[in-house]
Amino acid sequence: MKSLFILLIAFNISFGQEKDEVLLTVDNEQIMTSEFLRVYNKNLDLVKDESQKDIDGYLKLFTEYQLKLREAKRLKLNEDRNYQREFLRYKKQLTKNYISENKVTDDLIKEAYERSKIDINATHILVRLDENAKDTLKTYNEVLKLRERALKEGFDAVKKEMHNGTTIFLEDLGYFSAFKMVYSFETAAYNTPEGEISMPFRTQFGYHVVMVDEKRASRGTMTAAHIMVALEQKDSVLDPEKRINDIYKKLQQGEKFESLAKQFSDDKSSATKGGELVPFKSGQLSSVKFEDEAFALKVDGAVSKPFKTAYGWHIVKRIKLKPIQSFEDLRPTLESKVKRDTRSKLINAAMVNELKSRYQISYNTKAKAYFESILSSTYFKRAWRLPETFEKSKTLFSINNRKYTYNELGTHLVSSQRLYAGKVIPFDVLVEKEFERFFEKSILQYREDNLELENKDFANILKEYRDGLLLFDLMEKEVWNKASKDSVGLENYYETHKENYKWNDRVEVVIASSASEKIITRVLKMMNRTKSEKDIEEALNTDVEKNVIFTKDTFSITDKKLPSDFEMKEGVSKIYKHNDAFHVIDVKKVIPSGIKTLEEAKGNVINDYQAEIEANWIDNLYKRFKIEVNDQALEAVKLKIKNQ
């Protein structure tokens, strides 16, 4: 309830350029017609309640939203440190979507999509090299020689002699796809033909060559069904491995997978659907074993042998294998990965170049030489400090009217010492690298700091976050916490409304199931003679055939594992045909419907109590704040919506 409300009513306040009429005034704050129209049209397709599409009904929701915002500000929740910290986190995340260079980003997303359609199995050779080193020829030649040896002697032979795990690495990487390696390595691998070894290339780790052993199409998306027997069972004498093998025998005897799943699978979320799972890709499930077994099935309808995972014993059936999703479907996910990957350096570089052309920038041409002159060898021991005579107030560069001083770069250099501990590189290389890093950081930060002024769409969405987060904190304080923590109020509410919280009729049963009516008839006769389950199984089952399976549990009378015409009375039942099988049900105990205890109904009671608290609270807000509706403007809004 609370998440739906927050998502749908986190309004996107408009920066209307047209002259608007005032539609609503809440506590002397005016809300324009353009704001209401934008919110209404934006959320129209999201709301499923038809009453919320009614203008008057939606205006009521809109008004209550504004009342809550006024109340939050009255309580000064917007000044809370936790709120401000959370809002800044949201702002930082949102900003990332607006500061990228779109052309470069689009190209990288398309490239990533094409690569994601191919898995690569590869090995590589790496000779380590400091990423700041200028003299790289020796290392390049060393990895080139190892490449030549691998071509002549074979990878394994060279690995046995040369791999030391510190400066030289020869490793089998297995299968990987886009985003699994640093971008430069990934690019080299995808550009190398199958069966060949690349020429040397450099990453931040050193020089590599990559040998591509195989390229295969990605697995795609699997739709599968399964039967699961959980490792933990209520019936202490039930052996999960024996149970799954018994079910597998019934499959081999020709019984339907879906029927057996409905009757025996312990995965409640899929059992009622014949075991069918939500479609998945490699890496989406928490069990690699399950994925491998599913993708190993070659044709639709194929069924695996029983196998074990951390969750239980399974039999999996392939229903459908769909190739990789379309580019448009995958684009949002790919874009997010591109911006987190080492590819982001390319995006940042393109963005910096674009901002350089947009802003007025001036440099102090003497600055770099000055910083080179004040560095010392203590920098590589993390002991360097800015000299007492440091010219901290001088201008380093300026972006528009914002001046950046020597002091800001000096502070950056001091904090960057940790990156160079134990290294020795020329001061001119160090200053050049850190100056560029500081400049990139500064110009991107300048863009971020001014984004709300430069981009109205960003400002709109940022206000959504600001108000939505504020509303969440208010609801948590005034409604949700009160409902869950007020134990006395909750108990009183339960006592007043306990008739709303009842169990359905239930039965404690032992169910005998068989695909054969002849077999189940024999079972019925034996159960009427009070034969034990063990006796019946020994009489009717063999090592080759599993003719009957027993299930013990307590079920609601509406449970789909029970026949729809099931007669609820103690004793051995007649034969029922259900889920494509035959069943005899021994009802050990009938448990009539009754009122649940507070503990049993607690989740529902809290939700209902919360709704009552919220309704009373909103009534008080209407009394606290003055509300005025411009009826003439409202009629104009209704007319506009009717004609759009």
Side-chain angles (χ1 to χ4, degrees), residues 437-499:
R437 200 157 68 94
F438 176 72
F439 178 82
E440 179 180 296
K441 177 183 175 182
S442 299
I443 198 168
L444 292 176
Q445 187 64 50
Y446 180 87
R447 161 74 162 144
E448 182 176 336
D449 292 343
N450 290 275
L451 191 56
E452 202 167 350
L453 299 174
E454 296 179 9
N455 191 306
K456 289 183 179 180
D457 286 340
F458 173 81
N460 288 343
I461 297 173
L462 191 61
K463 181 163 178 58
E464 281 187 28
Y465 277 122
R466 182 185 287 114
D467 291 347
L469 188 60
L470 188 61
L471 181 61
F472 186 93
D473 288 348
L474 176 72
M475 294 292 288
E476 187 172 53
K477 179 179 186 300
E478 296 296 325
V479 179
W480 303 330
N481 284 347
K482 287 183 179 180
S484 60
K485 295 180 180 180
D486 179 10
S487 56
V488 174
L490 191 67
E491 189 168 345
N492 289 336
Y493 182 87
Y494 165 75
E495 290 297 330
T496 306
H497 301 85
K498 63 169 61 177
E499 288 295 324

Side-chain angles (χ1 to χ4, degrees), residues 209-402:
V209 291
V210 59
M211 180 168 64
V212 175
D213 299 314
E214 182 186 2
K215 292 184 179 181
R216 72 176 186 193
S218 291
R219 285 171 156 181
T221 301
M222 171 67 74
T223 301
H226 80 137
I227 300 169
M228 184 185 85
V229 178
L231 298 179
E232 298 294 330
Q233 293 286 334
K234 293 180 183 178
D235 184 354
S236 59
V237 300
L238 190 153
D239 180 349
E241 183 175 5
K242 181 178 183 300
R243 178 78 156 192
I244 200 72
N245 283 321
D246 287 344
I247 294 169
Y248 186 64
K249 287 179 183 177
K250 293 176 79 65
L251 280 171
Q252 291 179 309
Q253 290 164 205
E255 296 188 36
K256 292 183 179 180
F257 187 99
E258 293 75 12
S259 302
L260 293 171
K262 289 176 182 178
Q263 194 63 35
F264 299 114
S265 180
D266 289 331
D267 179 5
K268 294 181 180 179
S269 63
S270 67
T272 57
K273 297 176 287 187
E276 185 169 341
L277 298 165
V278 174
F280 58 89
K281 300 180 295 184
S282 289
Q284 283 192 330
L285 301 185
S286 54
S287 173
V288 174
K289 174 67 174 175
F290 190 97
E291 286 184 357
D292 287 345
E293 291 284 349
F295 281 106
L297 299 172
K298 300 300 182 185
V299 295
D300 293 349
V303 175
S304 74
K305 292 181 179 179
F307 62 93
K308 186 180 180 183
T309 71
Y311 304 99
W313 284 90
H314 309 259
I315 303 169
V316 62
K317 176 182 178 180
R318 169 171 155 171
I319 297 174
K320 182 180 180 181
L321 183 62
K322 185 172 72 174
I324 192 168
Q325 291 175 264
S326 70
F327 174 71
E328 290 306 319
D329 288 340
L330 281 178
R331 183 185 177 93
T333 301
L334 292 173
E335 183 171 1
S336 176
K337 289 183 177 181
V338 161
K339 291 179 178 178
R340 296 196 308 268
D341 189 59
T342 49
R343 293 164 170 81
S344 62
K345 292 182 178 180
L346 300 176
I347 299 171
N348 283 348
M351 188 66 205
V352 168
N353 288 333
E354 193 272 327
L355 294 177
K356 282 180 179 180
S357 67
R358 186 193 307 177
Y359 300 144
Q360 290 184 335
I361 300 172
S362 62
Y363 301 93
N364 182 341
T365 57
K366 298 179 181 179
K368 293 179 183 178
Y370 173 76
F371 279 96
E372 290 172 25
S373 71
I374 63 174
L375 286 175
S376 70
S377 59
T378 57
Y379 193 87
F380 306 110
K381 301 175 183 177
R382 301 183 67 174
W384 180 76
R385 298 293 180 267
L386 292 168
E388 292 182 6
T389 58
F390 179 57
E391 300 173 358
K392 62 181 182 180
S393 61
K394 279 193 173 182
T395 299
L396 181 69
F397 56 80
S398 64
I399 302 175
N400 290 345
N401 295 324
R402 165 72 159 95

Side-chain angles (χ1 to χ4, degrees), residues 131-196:
E131 62 179 315
N132 296 306
K134 278 189 169 182
D135 185 4
T136 64
L137 184 59
K138 179 181 177 182
T139 306
Y140 178 91
N141 286 332
E142 188 173 358
V143 79
L144 188 61
K145 289 179 182 178
L146 290 172
R147 175 185 183 273
E148 292 170 355
R149 286 189 60 188
L151 286 169
K152 293 178 182 178
E153 304 169 30
F155 180 86
D156 291 338
V158 180
K159 177 180 179 180
K160 185 175 181 181
E161 178 184 345
M162 299 302 298
H163 176 82
N164 59 31
T166 53
T167 59
I168 299 176
F169 297 79
L170 290 89
E171 299 170 310
D172 184 352
L173 302 172
Y175 281 96
F176 61 88
S177 185
F179 301 107
K180 298 300 183 183
M181 303 292 177
V182 295
Y183 180 61
S184 52
F185 189 98
E186 176 193 304
T187 297
Y190 276 94
N191 289 340
T192 301
E194 186 175 323
E196 295 187 15

